[in-house]
Amino acid sequence: MGGASSSSTKKKRLNKVKRAPGYEDPAVLAAQTSFTVNEVEALYELYKNLSFSIVNDGLIHKEEFRLALFTNTKGSNLFADRVFDMFDLKRNGVIEFGEFVRSLSIFHPKASESEKTKFAFKLYDLRGTGYIEKEELKEMVLALFSESDLCLSDSAVEEIVDNTFKEADSNGDGRIDPKEWEEFVKKNPASLRNMSLPYLQDITTSFPSFVMHSEVED
């Protein structure tokens, strides 16, 4: 009996040693996110696959993130880099397990529209000024089309940006504030269509080919 107990204790210790850096209790993460405990545990298996795919350190680096989540992996892409930066909550250049789960939770079908709206706003607010400027929107539109392997003329991109600002910039100050963005999203719900990943709800039964497709509404 004592030998069995000792063996069990050793296994528990070994499991703790094997945990990826930044590992957090699934029950705690489930309580703080839209995921269930079982979904968090499934996400941990996915996280381990991603975090050891290139750099063998149990952390998700930018190149691993881009390779796993995006269809276009040719070089740097502003959209992919921006999403990585927003997942990297500690701003230390890597994504730990807790950060991975908390950030992905926003893309869960059960996550609130408010959460998705705020995340999307920050995604476009490249300079972190609290506003979306025209140049920022243009940069992101170009990056989104690049990620989708689509090529648009400069005039077509300018038209998308101008039309968005005509509708969203209600006070005409040349920038979109959070309230204006919220109103724009309510009128244009399709602008958040990429903020929900349906397979996150079924991650315990089907391990997804984890790709975040970027699309743009024109």
Side-chain angles (χ1 to χ4, degrees), residues 30 33-37 39 104-116 195-202:
T33 66
S34 299
F35 295 111
T36 64
V37 172
E39 287 171 342
L104 268 185
S105 177
I106 295 167
F107 293 86
H108 195 288
K110 291 182 179 178
S112 70
E113 184 176 296
S114 174
E115 287 181 289
K116 297 177 188 295
M195 294 299 299
S196 288
L197 303 176
Y199 49 73
L200 287 179
Q201 207 162 4
D202 304 315

Side-chain angles (χ1 to χ4, degrees), residues 34 105-122 178-196:
S34 299
S105 177
I106 295 167
F107 293 86
H108 195 288
K110 291 182 179 178
S112 70
E113 184 176 296
S114 174
E115 287 181 289
K116 297 177 188 295
T117 299
K118 289 176 182 177
F119 188 94
F121 182 87
K122 290 180 181 178
K179 185 62 178 176
E180 290 173 326
W181 176 251
E182 186 180 333
E183 292 302 316
F184 174 77
V185 166
K186 286 179 181 177
K187 295 176 184 176
N188 300 273
S191 60
L192 292 182
R193 66 181 178 180
N194 292 318
M195 294 299 299
S196 288

Side-chain angles (χ1 to χ4, degrees), residues 96-154:
E96 298 178 358
F97 178 59
E99 294 174 313
F100 184 67
V101 175
R102 288 187 177 87
S103 298
L104 268 185
S105 177
I106 295 167
F107 293 86
H108 195 288
K110 291 182 179 178
S112 70
E113 184 176 296
S114 174
E115 287 181 289
K116 297 177 188 295
T117 299
K118 289 176 182 177
F119 188 94
F121 182 87
K122 290 180 181 178
L123 189 67
Y124 286 97
D125 179 17
L126 299 176
R127 321 293 190 251
T129 60
Y131 299 92
I132 299 174
E133 310 280 352
K134 264 194 173 185
E135 189 58 33
E136 290 174 319
L137 181 59
K138 182 179 179 179
E139 287 179 43
M140 283 299 292
V141 168
L142 288 169
L144 285 163
F145 278 120
S146 174
E147 167 62 25
S148 302
D149 285 325
L150 296 174
C151 184
L152 263 70
S153 65
D154 289 343

Side-chain angles (χ1 to χ4, degrees), residues 8-21:
S8 175
T9 301
K10 286 180 181 178
K11 283 182 180 179
K12 287 180 180 179
R13 286 175 181 169
L14 186 60
N15 285 336
K16 286 182 180 180
V17 171
K18 288 184 176 179
R19 295 298 189 191

